[in-house]
Amino acid sequence: MPFTHPPDSSQSPPSTPAQSLLPLSPPSPPFLSPSPSSKKLHRESWNGSDSPYSFDGSRISTLNEKFSLAPDPRQWGSDLSTDLVEPDDEIHNPDYQLDGFKDTHDLSFSRRGAPRALGSNKVHFTSLGYPVMSYLRKTGLLQPPFNLGGTNATGQVPSMGNFGLIDEETPEDARFRISSRDGSQLQLVFSDEFNTDGRSFYPGDDPYWEAADLHYWATNNLEWYDPAAVTTKNGSLVISFSQMQTHDLNYQGGLISSWNKFCFTGGYVETSAMLPGVNDVVGMWPAVWTMGNLGRAGYGASLEGMWPYTYDACDVGTAPHQVLNGVPYAATIDGDPSYGDALSFLPGQRLSRCTCPDDTRHPGPKHDDGTFVGRAAPEIDVFEAQVWLRASIGPSIFALIAIPLTGHR
């Protein structure tokens, strides 16, 4: 469960102006005015300085020069604001008045709406089917199939709280922690208790996690990672390791990640886990770990020059093997014999601060001096565990894995 510092209460979020439902009968109300970019009719909330974008170019990012779409959505060619007044607004958003039967904009009994409602199965299903399904679900009489009254067959519906993605079954006393670094209060921003049995983690089945379906070749794994090996049971996430023939390998295991589903910056991670096997059987490598979202576990191309760099300086530390023209000499000896005794065998930081200012391959951002921010995907291991063959013991490591290296391993 990641914790981060709560937002500064002294900084209130920008308020959204109240929006009224507006009839389109002429003349237009005085608080409707044309957009300065598209000249289309808008409500007052998009007038003047309320727009987060500046049309004089002072706040438009340099990313505008690198991508096909401008940062301001109103410059994309289509007006995307929710305040745009369109000709069909009355159909799906009528302006009901207290004397609705006399209101000319009330569509409930219009000559146009009545025959369409009587002849449309979709309208019948909306007005009758959904309330019935909702009642049957609440009473337990209906277990919905995929995408019928639920997200999927296991009933996995995301619950989004005010402060993040917090499992409803997470106890209240687990939602705050005190930082051991400075004594400040940390606030829970994500949790998953895994209390619902039989969850599926195949791609698209879960809002927060996805099970890998690949061979983790980077660490010479002997097993194939398969979503079938991952489920929930008795209030726990269960990852099964099996001896079986699959994808020309002899074993099957599992890995789940939140890549591109949930990210956080800094904070505190708390987990509870039971390790598999016994301490005299080798071969397993259970782990709970985090990695920067610019790389994806198991996808080697995304990690090349990204893992596990964490560096924002322009010097030899970003160079391949941390060496440039044979210097420093200390980085060329007593290292990994498989790589010519080099201290580091990595190919150099892909998104380095040394990147040329006009290089479009670096996504940014930039420092005030115009140089790119060095970016990458470092790794933090909550724990990794193995059994040593000779000693028959099971050591665990808790580590930050980062490059560049500052000494021999």
Side-chain angles (χ1 to χ4, degrees):
M1 298 186 292
F3 296 80
T4 62
H5 288 283
D8 186 353
S9 59
S10 65
Q11 298 180 357
S12 301
S15 58
T16 302
Q19 298 180 8
S20 302
L21 302 175
L22 303 175
L24 294 183
S25 303
S28 300
F31 47 82
L32 296 181
S33 61
S35 161
S37 61
S38 64
K39 307 304 180 183
K40 295 183 180 179
L41 201 61
H42 285 74
R43 294 182 175 86
E44 59 182 353
S45 64
W46 275 79
N47 289 345
S49 61
D50 286 343
S51 171
Y53 302 101
S54 170
F55 284 90
D56 61 4
S58 61
R59 297 178 61 188
I60 299 299
S61 168
T62 56
L63 293 178
N64 188 23
E65 303 171 2
K66 303 178 182 179
F67 298 91
S68 58
L69 295 178
D72 186 348
R74 293 176 298 171
Q75 297 179 1
W76 293 356
S78 298
D79 202 306
L80 305 178
S81 81
T82 57
D83 293 325
L84 177 65
V85 179
E86 297 176 307
D88 64 346
D89 278 356
E90 288 187 342
I91 297 176
H92 54 76
N93 204 13
D95 181 26
Y96 287 105
Q97 306 296 328
L98 294 178
D99 54 345
F101 286 102
K102 299 178 182 178
D103 186 5
T104 58
H105 300 96
D106 186 350
L107 302 182
S108 300
F109 298 94
S110 69
R111 290 175 294 177
R112 177 185 178 189
R116 292 197 174 191
L118 293 175
S120 172
N121 289 332
K122 292 184 179 179
V123 173
H124 285 167
F125 185 76
T126 302
S127 59
L128 177 62
Y130 285 149
V132 171
M133 287 175 57
S134 177
Y135 170 77
L136 292 176
R137 289 192 64 195
K138 290 180 179 179
T139 57
L141 299 177
L142 174 65
Q143 296 296 327
F146 181 82
N147 209 28
L148 183 60
T151 300
N152 58 31
T154 65
Q156 295 166 226
V157 181
S159 177
M160 302 183 70
N162 293 330
F163 301 105
L165 309 177
I166 301 175
D167 194 317
E168 293 179 347
E169 298 187 18
T170 298
E172 290 295 328
D173 60 3
R175 302 193 178 202
F176 295 92
R177 291 288 185 266
I178 300 300
S179 170
S180 59
R181 182 175 63 88
D182 59 11
S184 61
Q185 180 174 267
L186 301 175
Q187 178 178 288
L188 182 67
V189 295
F190 174 82
S191 66
D192 196 334
E193 306 296 332
F194 299 111
N195 282 340
T196 301
D197 286 358
R199 283 170 60 178
S200 168
F201 298 96
Y202 281 84
D205 278 0
D206 193 90
Y208 312 128
W209 306 101
E210 182 173 316
D213 189 5
L214 50 79
H215 176 228
Y216 207 91
W217 54 267
T219 48
N220 298 317
N221 288 28
L222 301 180
E223 80 277 13
W224 180 272
Y225 283 150
D226 197 303
V230 187
T231 187
T232 51
K233 185 178 180 181
N234 297 329
S236 298
L237 173 71
V238 179
I239 300 178
S240 299
F241 184 79
S242 306
Q243 184 175 359
M244 59 184 297
Q245 292 289 324
T246 176
H247 298 82
D248 296 324
L249 297 170
N250 297 322
Y251 301 94
Q252 176 179 282
L255 174 149
I256 65 168
S257 78
S258 63
W259 181 83
N260 238 26
K261 295 177 180 287
F262 170 74
C263 301
F264 62 95
T265 303
Y268 174 76
V269 178
E270 184 177 288
T271 184
S272 174
M274 179 180 294
L275 302 184
V278 293
N279 66 354
D280 60 353
V281 176
V282 301
M284 297 184 185
W285 194 1
V288 175
W289 53 291
T290 67
M291 184 174 68
N293 199 58
L294 291 180
R296 187 178 184 184
Y299 291 78
S302 74
L303 302 172
E304 185 78 1
M306 301 295 289
W307 175 92
Y309 284 94
T310 173
Y311 206 47
D312 188 26
C314 182
D315 57 35
V316 72
T318 71
H321 310 302
Q322 294 181 214
V323 174
L324 183 62
N325 299 326
V327 178
Y329 176 71
T332 67
I333 61 173
D334 300 329
D336 192 328
S338 301
Y339 293 89
D341 291 329
L343 173 64
S344 168
F345 57 84
L346 295 177
Q349 187 176 2
R350 186 194 304 180
L351 303 179
S352 167
R353 188 165 183 172
C354 297
T355 305
C356 296
D358 58 349
D359 193 330
T360 60
R361 291 171 296 180
H362 196 305
K366 288 185 176 182
H367 291 285
D368 293 339
D369 63 2
T371 60
F372 280 106
V373 174
R375 303 182 66 187
E379 175 183 337
I380 300 177
D381 295 326
V382 179
F383 73 82
E384 288 188 354
Q386 287 183 311
V387 172
W388 289 352
L389 178 61
R390 294 182 180 179
S392 294
I393 60 175
S396 296
I397 63 171
F398 313 89
L400 164 66
I401 302 178
I403 292 291
L405 299 172
T406 57
H408 295 295
R409 293 167 293 170

